[in-house]
Amino acid sequence: MSHEANATCSCPHGGCRTQRRGAAEWTAWAGALRWENSSRPLSQENPSNRRTIVATIAVLGAGALGAAMAARLGEAGCDVQLWNRTPARGEEAAGQADRVVAAGTVPAAVADADVVLTVLRDGPAVAGVAEEMLPAMRPDAVWVQVSTVGPVHARTLRDLAAGQGIAYLDAPVSGSTAQVQQGSLVWLIAGPEAAVDAARPVLEILGTEIQVVGTGAEASSLKLAINTWLAASAVAAADVLAVCDALDVPHETLVRTLKATPLAMPFAFAKMDLMEKRDYPVGFAVDLALKDVDLTLENVEPGLPFVEAVRDRLKSTVEAGHGREDVAAVYETGR
């Protein structure tokens, strides 16, 4: 696509000018632009409260999170190229979203992109894709690396980007598909300030909070800590419900009482609700939680018996056939 300075507005109210900008131009522009991110679908927001941008974004990875990001960006007015290793999955996701096109190859997806998001399973997967991606990227584009890869892989990916002269952000998120759809992700960011500013308009479409925690791989370290806490909390919630059953304490009595105390934990309550129903639509899949806890244990010194116990519980839940269900399914293997 071309990168003209301006184009006719496609907003419903027709009262503004849409912007087509390369990432280098975004740095100055981003300070003036603030998306009115109301944690609602864009279709439900008042058009007078937000501006439409037209930029080209590449999303590599059409899993649940990547597909949701592509759809949200398309709804916000971006032209999105979506690539997936299994083409049928990318085509299906693109067919369900506005302004999202399935790209047949990685180079085709990123060639015109202002910002490239990688949303893949792990570090080796990202590194493999980067071999095709980096040489094809525009020199003024920004690589926003969303995948949970851990600090060792994050530093390797940063060095690969530097070798090609591409701006790189270590940028995992806290949140899942529901938060993407609401535009309420929390971004965990490490990287150069100029790259953060350049990517900010895209980050703000998808999230309400941008936590800049360093300039290297600090965000990936923080992400492992958060996901370990998440998995441990799910296991604890499941076993506390088992304690209630053993002691004849109704589950609703536990939840009502906890909500009245400083111990209230909305995440745990949401997982307990799934456990109560014994229905586990995926938010954060058990197999991904296991992958991340394994990654945590690989990156720390031995001697964390509780984290090892959490890992073992996740592993047994995967082996019981619940790997693609929500992490709340650990309830099924602890009773």
Side-chain angles (χ1 to χ4, degrees):
M1 63 174 280
S2 61
H3 292 273
E4 308 90 39
N6 293 291
T8 302
C9 178
S10 60
C11 296
H13 59 296
C16 66
R17 301 283 284 176
T18 60
Q19 305 295 312
R20 294 182 184 269
R21 301 179 185 267
E25 298 174 87
W26 286 19
T27 301
W29 175 59
L33 175 63
R34 289 295 179 266
W35 285 79
E36 295 293 333
N37 205 331
S38 61
S39 296
R40 297 196 302 270
L42 289 172
S43 59
Q44 297 178 15
E45 293 176 10
N46 185 340
S48 65
N49 288 341
R50 58 183 172 89
R51 290 174 56 184
T52 297
I53 64 170
V54 180
T56 299
I57 312 298
V59 178
L60 306 185
L65 192 65
M69 287 183 167
R72 173 80 180 182
L73 291 165
E75 189 180 3
C78 299
D79 294 321
V80 181
Q81 293 284 323
L82 177 63
W83 172 86
N84 195 67
R85 192 177 305 279
T86 305
R89 189 168 186 173
E91 291 165 3
E92 180 183 4
Q96 297 173 353
D98 293 334
R99 303 180 72 108
V100 179
V101 175
T105 67
V106 169
V110 305
D112 292 325
D114 302 303
V115 175
V116 176
L117 288 81
T118 46
V119 196
L120 301 166
R121 180 178 175 86
D122 55 27
V126 179
V129 167
E131 293 180 4
E132 298 182 76
M133 177 190 80
L134 289 168
M137 287 177 64
R138 288 172 27 197
D140 63 343
V142 179
W143 177 12
V144 178
Q145 205 306 99
V146 183
S147 319
T148 302
V149 300
V152 174
H153 286 298
R155 285 189 284 269
T156 298
L157 298 172
R158 178 197 60 192
D159 292 346
L160 289 174
Q164 294 286 336
I166 297 296
Y168 170 86
L169 291 179
D170 180 34
V173 297
S174 179
S176 60
T177 53
Q179 286 70 45
V180 175
Q181 292 161 0
Q182 297 165 355
S184 61
L185 288 172
V186 175
W187 287 96
L188 317 174
I189 301 287
E193 182 178 356
V196 177
D197 288 342
R200 189 177 296 275
V202 171
L203 303 179
E204 290 184 345
I205 295 170
L206 299 171
T208 52
E209 184 85 18
I210 300 172
Q211 293 281 347
V212 179
V213 299
T215 58
E218 295 91 343
S220 280
S221 295
L222 176 59
K223 173 67 171 181
L224 288 187
I226 289 172
N227 278 14
T228 301
W229 175 89
L230 181 157
S233 298
V235 171
D239 283 4
V240 167
L241 291 184
V243 168
C244 287
D245 293 339
L247 298 176
D248 295 325
V249 176
H251 295 176
E252 60 271 20
T253 301
L254 171 72
V255 171
R256 183 179 68 250
T257 304
L258 286 174
K259 286 182 176 179
T261 76
L263 302 176
M265 184 184 296
F267 169 80
F269 296 150
K271 298 308 171 186
M272 286 177 173
D273 185 57
L274 298 181
M275 295 169 191
E276 191 73 29
K277 298 172 182 175
R278 300 189 68 180
D279 182 30
Y280 309 107
V282 66
F284 183 37
V286 179
D287 62 354
L288 293 179
L290 175 60
K291 183 264 296 184
D292 292 349
V293 173
D294 273 335
L295 196 54
T296 295
L297 290 169
E298 290 172 12
N299 280 271
V300 300
E301 294 293 328
L304 294 175
F306 177 65
V307 178
E308 292 170 358
V310 170
R311 186 266 316 277
D312 292 344
R313 179 68 164 274
L314 294 168
K315 184 178 179 181
S316 66
T317 305
V318 170
E319 291 171 346
H322 301 286
R324 296 307 303 156
E325 296 179 332
D326 188 80
V327 70
V330 295
Y331 183 64
E332 300 298 323
T333 54
R335 299 177 306 112

